[in-house]
Amino acid sequence: MGEQITDQGQAFIAAWDRFASAAWETRGDLRGTEQSRADENLLSIGISNDPAAVAKKLRYAMYLRAQSPWLEAAALGAVVPDMAERLIMDDTINEAIWSAIVSLEAMEARL
């Protein structure tokens, strides 16, 4: 039986949810509120042992590295057609980040 998400894991997930929602609404022109700065600080330097929280941190990293709208959309949770093929043509770092996200989310689904 797996562990339940800890309060810390919940904090990462909540921070990601707020960040992703704001990124969709503002098309990347994020407001610099105290809450958004705290969320981005947690997502960038916080440490978690929760697979779902780590997947959110990786989504954040992928979003920050994104050089194309389809990669931003995938990082924010959109289903992107032909994602594997697009990543092969993109770069190895994004391939590694994406495969880690998918792996962590699969681990979380089993818990």
Side-chain angles (χ1 to χ4, degrees):
M1 184 178 336
E3 294 180 80
Q4 291 185 346
I5 296 176
T6 63
D7 288 341
Q8 181 187 26
Q10 289 286 5
F12 278 89
I13 293 165
W16 169 255
D17 289 346
R18 286 187 295 270
F19 175 85
S21 178
W24 275 119
E25 291 172 11
T26 63
R27 315 254 311 132
D29 186 20
L30 301 171
R31 299 173 292 283
T33 66
E34 187 174 328
Q35 181 66 59
S36 67
R37 285 189 296 277
D39 288 343
E40 289 193 57
N41 189 50
L42 179 62
L43 289 166
S44 64
I45 65 171
I47 298 170
S48 179
N49 63 355
D50 179 84
V54 176
K56 302 303 185 198
K57 288 177 61 64
L58 288 169
R59 283 186 177 279
Y60 177 72
M62 181 177 257
Y63 179 83
L64 295 179
R65 285 188 39 81
Q67 298 292 317
S68 63
W70 67 265
L71 195 54
E72 280 185 1
L76 293 173
V79 175
V80 176
D82 304 319
M83 182 68 171
E85 291 81 12
R86 288 175 184 250
L87 282 170
I88 289 170
M89 298 172 71
D90 190 49
D91 72 31
T92 304
I93 294 171
N94 285 329
E95 280 184 284
I97 292 171
W98 184 252
S99 66
I101 291 168
V102 172
S103 297
L104 287 164
E105 289 176 348
M107 288 170 55
E108 184 63 25
R110 290 191 337 220
L111 297 179

